[in-house]
């Protein structure tokens, strides 16, 4: 019950950010998108409506169930896939995705360096990561976060802050970067 209430609050409160990261990533209809920690699935649905395929990875069975319900038609169509896994260990093939999106979950990964290394592993060279997280929960500065992402094998790292609409919304730290090409 508490999980369902929390999911409903997240779905409503974070919808603008979830949609925004899909827009920032410029998801195209021939691309595969990995959504880390989709929670109630708002961003997973937005990605699935734009991409050839969207894969949601979350360790919580409750959240996966709610995501699956929100994306039921896209799951039936085979566009959205849902996996019980983590950012640190997605279980996906090397270089199998074009875009990775993470909204409000980097601060709860057990190991950020492992998470960013895993994202670099599964992204194709030139693939993009777009991240957003509540600034108040991030244990490092956005510049430190950018440096962690660079260390994991990304280039063109940009970070900024954004105030989402809504009275209860709080400032987000956001970042985008590109996975280095093999010889870059
Ligand atoms: C605060 S919710 C955010 C959900 C959604 N992205 C949003 O902003 O509304 C965090 C989500 O990350 C998931 N999560 C927790 N640990 C994770 C990990 N190591 N890797 C990926 N997702 C994780 C949680 O189960 C939950 O669904």
């Amino acid at each position: 019950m508490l999980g369902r209430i929390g999911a409903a609050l997240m779905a409503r409160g974070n919808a603008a950010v979830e949609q925004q990261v899909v827009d920032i990533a410029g998801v195209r209809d021939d691309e595969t998108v990995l959504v880390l920690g989709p929670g109630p699935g708002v961003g997973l649905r937005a990605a699935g409506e734009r991409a050839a395929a969207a894969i949601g990875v979350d360790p919580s069975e409750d959240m996966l169930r709610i995501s699956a319900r929100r994306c039921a038609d896209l799951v039936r169509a085979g566009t959205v896939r849902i996996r019980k896994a983590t950012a640190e260990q997605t279980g996906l093939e090397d270089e199998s995705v074009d875009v990775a999106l993470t909204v409000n979950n980097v601060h709860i990964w057990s190991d950020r360096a492992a998470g960013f290394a895993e994202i670099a592993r599964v992204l194709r060279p030139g693939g993009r990561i777009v991240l957003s997280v509540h600034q108040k929960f991030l244990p490092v500065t956005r510049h430190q976060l950018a440096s962690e992402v660079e260390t994991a094998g990304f280039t063109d790292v940009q970070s900024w802050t954004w105030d989402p609409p809504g009275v209860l919304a709080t400032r987000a730290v956001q970042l985008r970067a590109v996975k280095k090409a093999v010889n870059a």
Side-chain angles (χ1 to χ4, degrees):
M1 171 65 98
L2 279 177
R4 280 209 301 276
I5 294 170
L9 290 174
M10 276 193 281
R12 197 181 166 89
N14 299 328
V17 180
E18 293 278 16
Q19 183 63 57
Q20 186 225 24
V21 297
V22 174
D23 293 340
I24 289 173
V27 171
R28 297 191 299 266
D29 63 7
D30 60 346
E31 292 187 312
T32 297
V33 180
L34 168 62
V35 180
L36 298 148
V42 173
L44 182 60
R45 180 163 189 100
E49 286 172 346
R50 296 251 303 250
I55 306 160
V57 162
D58 199 300
S60 159
E61 284 183 7
D62 285 344
M63 291 300 167
L64 291 174
R65 208 170 11 253
I66 295 168
S67 264
R69 204 175 308 140
R70 185 176 304 279
C71 301
D73 53 332
L74 298 171
V75 170
R76 269 197 305 277
T79 312
V80 165
R81 283 193 284 138
I82 287 172
R83 291 177 72 88
K84 184 169 187 230
T86 62
E88 298 88 334
Q89 211 166 355
T90 63
L92 300 180
E93 300 276 313
D94 289 358
E95 301 187 358
S96 57
V97 306
D98 302 290
V99 176
L101 305 176
T102 157
V103 175
N104 297 329
N105 84 317
V106 67
H107 61 292
I108 45 182
W109 295 352
S110 59
D111 182 340
R112 276 197 313 281
F116 289 134
E118 175 69 355
I119 293 170
R121 181 186 71 76
V122 300
L123 274 176
R124 298 193 176 98
R128 292 100 70 205
I129 178 173
V130 179
L131 174 160
S132 184
V133 59
H134 297 298
Q135 186 174 46
K136 64 184 177 188
F137 295 144
L138 189 63
V140 292
T141 67
R142 72 181 166 90
H143 301 292
Q144 287 166 322
L145 192 72
S147 157
E148 291 176 11
V149 169
E150 215 161 48
T151 301
F154 288 85
T155 184
D156 298 336
V157 185
Q158 294 173 274
S159 73
W160 63 92
T161 59
W162 184 57
D163 292 313
V167 278
L168 295 179
T170 67
R171 177 164 294 182
V173 163
Q174 303 191 313
L175 176 151
R176 73 169 152 204
V178 176
K179 181 183 164 182
K180 275 185 195 154
V182 181
N183 296 318

